[in-house]
Amino acid sequence: MASKQKKVISLISSMVLTGTALIGCSTQGTITAPASGGTPKVEGQGQKSADAKSPGGKLFDQPMTLKEMLPDGASQPIVTDSPSIQEIFKKTNVKIELQPSPDTNYGEKVQTLLATNNIPEIIRIPKTNFLDAAPLAKAGMFVAVTDHLDVAPNFKKVMEENPEIKKLMVDGKLYGFPVMGKWKVRYGQLPLIRDDLLKKLNLQAPTTFEELYQVLKKFKEAYPETYPITFRNGIANFLPYMAYTLGSGYPTYYDPDVNGGKYVYGPAHSADFKPVLTYLNKLYSEKLLDPDYAVNTGQTWQEKLSSGKSLFYYDNNTFGLTFTKALQAKDPQAKFEQIRILKNGKGQTRNYEYPKDWWHMFAISSKVKDPKAVVKFMDWMYSDEGVMATNFGIEGEHYKMDNGKPVVLDSVLQKFNDKKDPFHAMQSALGTGLLAFATYVDEKPLIAISPPELDKWSKLMDQDKGFFQNIMDPPFNKEEMDKLKQLKTQVDTLVQQEMDKFIMGTRKLSEYDDFAKQLESKGALEIEKIYNDANARLK
């Protein structure tokens, strides 16, 4: 079921993640709405600016309602009538009816809605790949945003300032509003370790993966009931960044260290990828790696690291603050600490850093009565006023302006400081930020409510030169997309079926060279060529 869900999300993402960054401008009509609400209409050709407010100071003269579906996760539960949603209505006259769906089966829910052509007016699509975008976008399920840039001055400016959006093109159209970073703290999937246990066992922080292995062995000897390292959400989540830092990548990825930068199908290159599996297999076979790593959800992963069942992780470093807080409730000395990125067996020190933008998409159903009006509303989300409402809440109640900059009120910080996860608890209650209804994310609240370690860890990243912000895939033409769909279906499926077997030892690593050749025969190198040809054409 998990693979089916991933395939569904991939397919749907494709529809909306591909589009063009066409830049255009024209005059805009005045906007009105029926007294009963509903989507307002654009009538006539007025001379007001595209982001002009109505006489009442709101974006629209009369109320309108839009249903919006988004994933609902355990770390930040959705509050449907949050202060942010209330503030959006106050500023725009748009009432957002949130339709949260559990993130554990979000893809299946989306699949059902698409199959019945019954999606809400706005739907959030997770970023994955977008190989199937062209035919599905052309089918007309979503509004082409670039057909209505005359009422989207804020988003148009964002597009001009972020040329990477041009990679979301298919036949000159953009089919969604991307989730981007207005301001973002520097962080990523990084190594964090129980620093208190290092000191207790008189161990030095590891600087290489071999040293990490030795430290984890010492941890296991001292605490045999633990599984020192654990992962969450299976190979689809952790292999891309773990394979990269170990000297390869998964599956198709851009490697800046290969021939000046090129796309590579990692598992097809045994010399580089087999050591990744060998290392993980060694951890697994010696019971250093959590035997449930393949089925751990985000919640079970957090529970293990918050309770001392696991002692090291390589993932989003900000979680370390939450784990430390939970551990110190029982042991004041317990502490996760970020360490420098580790040197791999090839002598490389390299690591992904979270990009500035997330590229999830909010897509508009083509069934809306007035696409231009809904585009105008979504454009407001990128305005200064929209950023404040969707990232900080209500001015005077949750934040204040200080020299033109928003500052979270102390009263708000104090209200959530004693929570298990203060930041996400605050975001959940206010309905703000990345995991809520926001398109232009400002992470200053994260810094405001977090312990000083977060800023310290961000600065620690400055000491290493091996960080790389992964890039979006290049746009493909129809022939390339059709071919990639065919090739990736057969190659990716085979890879997904076998990776855990090699890690767990149910399939011998001595067979991997032949397996890599099998991937090559099924088209792995053809996938590389299509990616690199498309990228060269873009350049």
Side-chain angles (χ1 to χ4, degrees):
M1 180 174 292
S3 62
K4 179 181 179 183
Q5 178 175 335
K6 292 167 190 168
K7 183 177 180 181
V8 170
I9 294 176
S10 172
L11 183 68
I12 298 160
S13 301
S14 311
M15 292 189 242
V16 296
L17 276 174
T18 57
T20 183
L22 293 178
I23 306 302
C25 184
S26 64
T27 58
Q28 173 235 333
T30 57
I31 297 181
T32 60
S36 60
T39 306
K41 300 291 184 179
V42 178
E43 301 173 347
Q45 289 296 319
Q47 298 301 314
K48 293 194 302 181
S49 65
D51 57 346
K53 291 297 189 70
S54 70
K58 296 189 176 185
L59 194 64
F60 299 113
D61 294 333
Q62 299 183 38
M64 61 181 285
T65 299
L66 293 172
K67 294 181 174 64
E68 195 273 316
M69 178 177 160
L70 73 172
D72 189 8
S75 62
Q76 186 177 316
I78 298 296
V79 176
T80 57
D81 192 30
S82 67
S84 175
I85 295 299
Q86 297 174 35
E87 187 72 352
I88 289 174
F89 179 72
K90 177 182 177 182
K91 298 293 186 181
T92 67
N93 237 352
V94 177
K95 179 176 177 55
I96 297 295
E97 290 187 358
L98 292 178
Q99 297 181 336
S101 180
D103 61 359
T104 53
N105 65 345
Y106 187 70
E108 293 180 3
K109 178 65 176 290
V110 172
Q111 180 187 33
T112 301
L113 294 177
L114 287 175
T116 58
N117 197 17
N118 190 33
I119 62 173
E121 285 96 337
I122 303 172
I123 184 169
R124 175 166 159 159
I125 310 294
K127 178 204 171 188
T128 173
N129 70 66
F130 38 89
L131 300 180
D132 297 306
L136 296 175
K138 289 178 182 178
M141 191 168 291
F142 299 103
V143 170
V145 173
T146 42
D147 287 347
H148 306 287
L149 287 179
D150 55 313
V151 293
N154 299 295
F155 183 58
K156 176 185 172 185
K157 181 180 179 182
V158 170
M159 291 171 68
E160 292 171 337
E161 295 173 349
N162 294 270
E164 188 82 346
I165 290 179
K166 293 181 180 180
K167 290 185 176 180
L168 306 179
M169 294 188 291
V170 59
D171 289 351
K173 302 289 183 180
L174 178 66
Y175 289 92
F177 286 92
V179 178
M180 306 180 69
K182 172 75 171 177
W183 186 89
K184 190 173 183 180
V185 66
R186 192 177 184 194
Y187 60 109
Q189 291 152 320
L190 297 161
L192 282 92
I193 199 165
R194 282 286 299 274
D195 185 64
D196 58 309
L197 300 185
L198 284 178
K199 292 181 171 61
K200 187 175 182 178
L201 299 175
N202 197 29
L203 300 172
Q204 296 295 316
T207 61
T208 69
F209 276 99
E210 176 58 30
E211 290 177 6
L212 173 64
Y213 163 69
Q214 297 297 336
V215 167
L216 296 180
K217 284 183 64 175
K218 295 292 185 182
F219 278 178
K220 184 70 175 180
E221 291 171 5
Y223 309 99
E225 73 283 2
T226 69
Y227 290 100
I229 181 173
T230 188
F231 294 111
R232 58 170 171 157
N233 300 328
I235 57 173
N237 177 61
F238 75 82
L239 256 188
Y241 65 85
M242 283 302 297
Y244 181 78
T245 193
L246 282 163
S248 183
Y250 178 88
T252 309
Y253 75 107
Y254 184 84
D255 197 320
D257 296 325
V258 176
N259 298 334
K262 66 175 293 187
Y263 283 93
V264 180
Y265 197 91
H269 298 268
S270 181
D272 293 322
F273 197 79
K274 186 177 178 180
V276 175
L277 296 176
T278 300
Y279 186 82
L280 294 173
N281 170 260
K282 181 167 63 173
L283 298 182
Y284 185 89
S285 62
E286 298 187 26
K287 302 186 184 307
L288 306 179
L289 172 58
D290 180 5
D292 295 327
Y293 80 86
V295 295
N296 279 337
T297 64
Q299 184 174 353
T300 57
W301 174 78
Q302 291 185 48
E303 289 171 352
K304 290 176 179 181
L305 289 157
S306 295
S307 62
K309 293 179 181 178
S310 291
L311 312 172
F312 172 90
Y313 79 94
Y314 213 122
D315 204 317
N316 186 326
N317 62 327
T318 65
F319 278 105
L321 304 173
T322 303
F323 301 153
T324 292
K325 187 178 182 69
L327 289 164
Q328 289 184 347
K330 294 183 178 180
D331 180 3
Q333 302 302 316
K335 183 180 182 182
F336 270 97
E337 191 68 70
Q338 181 178 309
I339 59 177
R340 302 276 295 276
I341 56 176
L342 304 169
K343 183 179 294 186
N344 62 37
K346 298 165 70 174
Q348 299 170 317
T349 303
R350 64 184 205 165
N351 206 96
Y352 284 140
E353 174 181 357
Y354 284 140
K356 182 181 76 70
D357 306 301
W358 290 269
W359 302 121
H360 306 304
M361 301 288 281
F362 284 99
I364 302 170
S365 169
S366 58
K367 289 185 177 181
V368 296
K369 296 178 181 178
D370 192 334
K372 192 174 288 288
V374 185
V375 168
K376 180 180 175 71
F377 164 68
M378 291 299 295
D379 173 74
W380 174 85
M381 299 278 285
Y382 295 87
S383 70
D384 289 343
E385 192 174 70
V387 169
M388 294 299 105
T390 56
N391 290 281
F392 294 88
I394 302 172
E395 185 175 1
E397 185 174 341
H398 304 115
Y399 73 96
K400 65 180 179 180
M401 298 302 293
D402 186 0
N403 293 323
K405 297 181 179 180
V407 178
V408 181
L409 296 178
D410 288 339
S411 58
V412 175
L413 299 177
Q414 293 169 6
K415 183 177 180 180
F416 298 100
N417 268 332
D418 63 343
K419 302 297 182 182
K420 181 180 179 181
D421 183 347
F423 173 65
H424 286 109
M426 178 177 71
Q427 297 285 84
S428 177
L430 272 58
T432 51
L434 174 66
L435 302 183
F437 183 37
T439 59
Y440 210 16
V441 179
D442 190 321
E443 291 191 332
K444 293 187 184 72
L446 174 60
I447 291 293
I449 202 168
S450 297
E453 280 82 0
L454 185 61
D455 185 53
K456 180 181 75 172
W457 293 347
S458 179
K459 292 176 180 176
L460 181 65
M461 294 174 68
D462 295 336
Q463 299 182 35
D464 290 314
K465 297 180 179 180
F467 284 104
F468 176 62
Q469 292 189 12
N470 207 359
I471 62 175
M472 279 199 297
D473 290 345
F476 304 103
N477 60 40
K478 185 180 185 306
E479 180 181 354
E480 291 169 335
M481 294 173 78
D482 290 343
K483 188 63 175 177
L484 279 173
K485 180 180 179 181
Q486 171 197 339
L487 292 172
K488 289 178 72 68
T489 296
Q490 59 193 33
V491 181
D492 286 356
T493 300
L494 182 58
V495 167
Q496 292 161 9
Q497 292 172 346
E498 301 301 314
M499 288 300 101
D500 284 320
K501 296 178 183 178
F502 285 114
I503 293 173
M504 295 180 181
T506 56
R507 184 168 182 180
K508 297 178 180 179
L509 285 165
S510 59
E511 299 177 9
Y512 195 81
D513 290 345
D514 289 336
F515 178 72
K517 292 178 182 178
Q518 184 182 3
L519 296 179
E520 184 176 336
S521 68
K522 287 187 173 293
L525 301 188
E526 292 180 67
I527 293 174
E528 290 183 1
K529 185 176 187 307
I530 293 172
Y531 269 80
N532 286 307
D533 287 348
N535 197 48
R537 185 171 61 245
L538 180 68
K539 290 181 179 180

